[in-house]
């Protein structure tokens, strides 16, 4: 499941993934939120939190993630990825340099620090 994180600074899109993320989550929540945040050519700042109860992505969601990444390439100024899941942390740390814009990885205990960085 993906839910929007409310009450962030203007220009910051926050999403939290819990349980198993499905293609329906992409279609109903993630894609519309990203489209709104980047409408009119705006660059967005993105806070993405994989909580302790995050279990993974369904196969269809993983495919949607790749499609969305290609479609929104260059739409983000900053991305703060917050999780304690070591596999996902390592993936983002290892491949974050490929993303346009700045990518930083934070632990769950640093979520407020991630928000501050995005707001700066």
């Amino acid at each position: 499941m993906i839910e929007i994180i409310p009450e962030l600074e203007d220009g910051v899109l926050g999403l939290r993934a819990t349980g198993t993320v499905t293609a329906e989550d992409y279609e109903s929540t993630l894609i519309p939120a990203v489209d709104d945040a980047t409408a009119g050519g705006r660059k967005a700042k993105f806070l993405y939190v994989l909580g302790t109860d995050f279990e993974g992505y369904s196969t269809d969601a993983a495919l949607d993630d790749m499609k969305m990444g290609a479609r929104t390439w260059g739409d983000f100024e900053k991305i703060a990825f917050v999780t304690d899941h070591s596999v996902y942390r390592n993936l983002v740390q290892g491949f974050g340099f490929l993303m346009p814009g700045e990518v930083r990885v934070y632990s769950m205990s640093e979520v407020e620090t991630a928000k501050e960085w995005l707001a700066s």
Side-chain angles (χ1 to χ4, degrees):
M1 177 174 158
I2 295 177
E3 60 186 356
I4 295 173
I5 300 170
E7 301 176 14
L8 295 174
E9 296 291 325
D10 286 341
V12 177
L13 169 62
L15 298 171
R16 178 180 298 111
T18 59
T20 300
V21 173
T22 66
E24 173 61 28
D25 295 319
Y26 272 75
E27 294 164 16
S28 66
T29 305
L30 189 127
I31 292 170
V34 170
D35 287 347
D36 285 347
T38 59
R42 291 183 309 225
K43 297 263 186 187
K45 297 176 182 178
F46 186 38
L47 172 68
Y48 193 51
V49 178
L50 298 184
T52 55
D53 55 352
F54 174 75
E55 297 171 3
Y57 295 91
S58 70
T59 302
D60 289 343
L63 292 172
D64 281 351
D65 189 60
M66 287 187 286
K67 288 183 219 171
M68 181 154 164
R71 186 173 67 80
T72 60
W73 190 258
D75 288 347
F76 297 100
E77 177 183 344
K78 294 180 176 181
I79 299 172
F81 185 78
V82 181
T83 191
D84 287 338
H85 291 277
S86 62
V87 171
Y88 294 101
R89 286 179 63 85
N90 292 339
L91 282 171
V92 173
Q93 286 172 331
F95 293 101
F97 73 94
L98 295 172
M99 297 290 296
E102 191 172 357
V103 178
R104 292 190 185 178
V105 179
Y106 296 89
S107 67
M108 291 300 293
S109 65
E110 298 174 305
V111 70
E112 292 305 316
T113 303
K115 289 177 184 178
E116 290 171 10
W117 175 68
L118 289 170
S120 67

